[in-house]
Amino acid sequence: MQVDLFDPDLNVKINRTMAQIQKRGFELKDCYKDLSGLEPYFSDKAALQGYKSKLYKLLDDGRQYEQVGEAACDNLYDLEALAVAAYGSSFYTNLALIVDFSGCLDFIMHRGYGCRIRDIRKIKDYNVVSRSLLNRDFARIGTEVTFDSLLSASNEFYQQMSDLSTRVQENLEIPKDEQVPYMIYEFYRKLLSVLHRLKFYVMADVCRQLSAKGNKTVIRSMSYSSVLACTSEVFNDVVKLHQLDGTFDDYEVPFRTYKPYEYIGEVLRRDELAWGIQV
């Protein structure tokens, strides 16, 4: 499958859809209300109970989105990814379709700052840096360290940051001791904004194409790096992203479908749970 970037008509619909999903309600499907399907994934009962408690608290709190500039992240994303929500009578089975851009820092820097994909790919610990930056998770890296590694990797990025530095220094409203943090924030805000628009458009277009083939899909949630839809049929494929005007390189992103509870395996493998869990 191929996604052509960007169809103006779809872009108009996307603005409306993004607003709708941030207000979407959430209710556990009756057969999943005890979350018992999590048990096979945990060997530590305390860890299992801790994770269940976390999910029930999220459910009690209700859907909330945090934002960095234009980019937004759903606090119920983990629940949505477990495919345990009540989707409605038109969905006979629960399946979660996810496109995850966590490993795509090279492409986002290419689109946002004109960097060459191969230059960004060669930075040290690329996978950790990409996942950390694009998920707003700096536990394993420092923003300043990452900023320096990107500057040294790409001449294009270095030049844009040099231009920004000049403008910041000339802005008398920004104190000297706040200039570097301001530059880092501006870089990060733009990075996530580019990703935000791209990831949502890609999911919306894939959903449009799948629906035309009879595979019903509804976008339900997003994290900073990912977008999630419920779907009536399995779709596991690599999707080609193609810029219609040729200004950016082609790129490929994987789509994966998860059955109820299956996504917890991904969470555990990435060691995203905070409690020393034994899998």
Side-chain angles (χ1 to χ4, degrees):
M1 184 179 290
Q2 178 169 303
V3 168
D4 293 327
L5 307 169
F6 287 94
D7 177 340
D9 292 336
L10 183 56
N11 259 337
V12 172
K13 294 179 182 178
I14 282 173
N15 291 331
R16 183 169 61 251
T17 304
M18 281 195 288
Q20 290 173 345
I21 71 164
Q22 294 192 32
K23 299 176 182 178
R24 190 183 299 280
F26 185 97
E27 181 181 353
L28 288 171
K29 194 172 183 177
D30 286 343
C31 59
Y32 301 127
K33 284 190 174 180
D34 61 358
L35 297 177
S36 59
L38 290 171
E39 294 173 7
Y41 294 92
F42 291 80
S43 59
D44 186 313
K45 289 185 178 180
L48 169 63
Q49 190 55 48
Y51 191 55
K52 277 189 176 183
S53 296
K54 173 192 173 184
L55 294 180
Y56 282 128
K57 185 179 185 307
L58 287 171
L59 190 58
D60 289 341
D61 291 343
R63 195 182 303 275
Q64 302 169 22
Y65 271 82
E66 67 172 35
Q67 293 197 230
V68 175
E70 185 182 13
C73 180
D74 182 8
N75 66 321
L76 296 187
Y77 184 84
D78 281 354
L79 268 168
E80 292 280 9
L82 291 178
V84 292
Y87 291 158
S89 58
S90 58
F91 289 89
Y92 297 105
T93 59
N94 273 48
L95 296 169
L97 177 65
I98 295 177
V99 58
D100 186 356
F101 282 82
S102 292
C104 304
L105 178 64
D106 52 354
F107 189 54
I108 305 307
M109 291 290 293
H110 173 59
R111 296 188 66 89
Y113 289 95
C115 304
R116 293 184 298 182
I117 290 175
R118 64 178 180 272
D119 288 342
I120 303 303
R121 266 281 168 181
K122 71 183 180 184
I123 66 173
K124 184 179 179 181
D125 299 323
Y126 171 82
N127 289 329
V128 173
V129 171
S130 180
R131 177 170 294 280
S132 299
L133 276 178
L134 300 185
N135 286 284
R136 197 169 177 259
D137 177 10
F138 301 110
R140 298 182 184 181
I141 62 170
T143 53
E144 291 82 3
V145 173
T146 302
F147 197 64
D148 289 342
S149 67
L150 292 171
L151 285 172
S152 61
S154 170
N155 291 331
E156 291 82 5
F157 182 59
Y158 181 86
Q159 185 58 56
Q160 288 209 35
M161 289 302 100
S162 295
D163 294 342
L164 176 60
S165 176
T166 299
R167 295 195 300 272
V168 169
Q169 291 176 40
E170 293 173 350
N171 188 335
L172 300 179
E173 295 182 0
I174 304 175
K176 283 191 175 182
D177 61 346
E178 296 180 11
Q179 290 177 356
V180 171
Y182 177 84
M183 288 178 59
I184 293 176
Y185 173 77
E186 282 299 300
F187 149 71
Y188 195 54
R189 180 191 60 77
K190 180 177 178 179
L191 187 78
L192 288 187
S193 293
V194 171
L195 171 58
H196 176 69
R197 280 283 165 180
L198 177 70
K199 73 177 190 282
F200 207 93
Y201 180 93
V202 170
M203 175 60 88
D205 195 26
V206 167
C207 285
R208 178 172 65 172
Q209 294 186 54
L210 290 177
S211 295
K213 298 177 181 179
N215 182 353
K216 183 176 175 58
T217 57
V218 176
I219 298 177
R220 290 188 58 91
S221 181
M222 59 183 163
S223 68
Y224 284 119
S225 66
S226 310
V227 182
L228 179 152
C230 58
T231 181
S232 59
E233 298 177 25
V234 171
F235 178 73
N236 295 319
D237 204 354
V238 174
V239 173
K240 181 180 180 180
L241 311 184
H242 174 68
Q243 186 71 32
L244 286 171
D245 61 11
T247 52
F248 298 108
D249 294 346
D250 288 349
Y251 199 79
E252 293 183 338
V253 291
F255 276 69
R256 182 171 174 186
T257 309
Y258 295 86
K259 299 175 183 177
Y261 301 111
E262 188 177 14
Y263 186 79
I264 189 62
E266 299 285 349
V267 175
L268 293 170
R269 278 191 290 273
R270 291 201 304 263
D271 194 27
E272 289 181 355
L273 301 184
W275 321 284
I277 291 174
Q278 298 175 7
V279 184

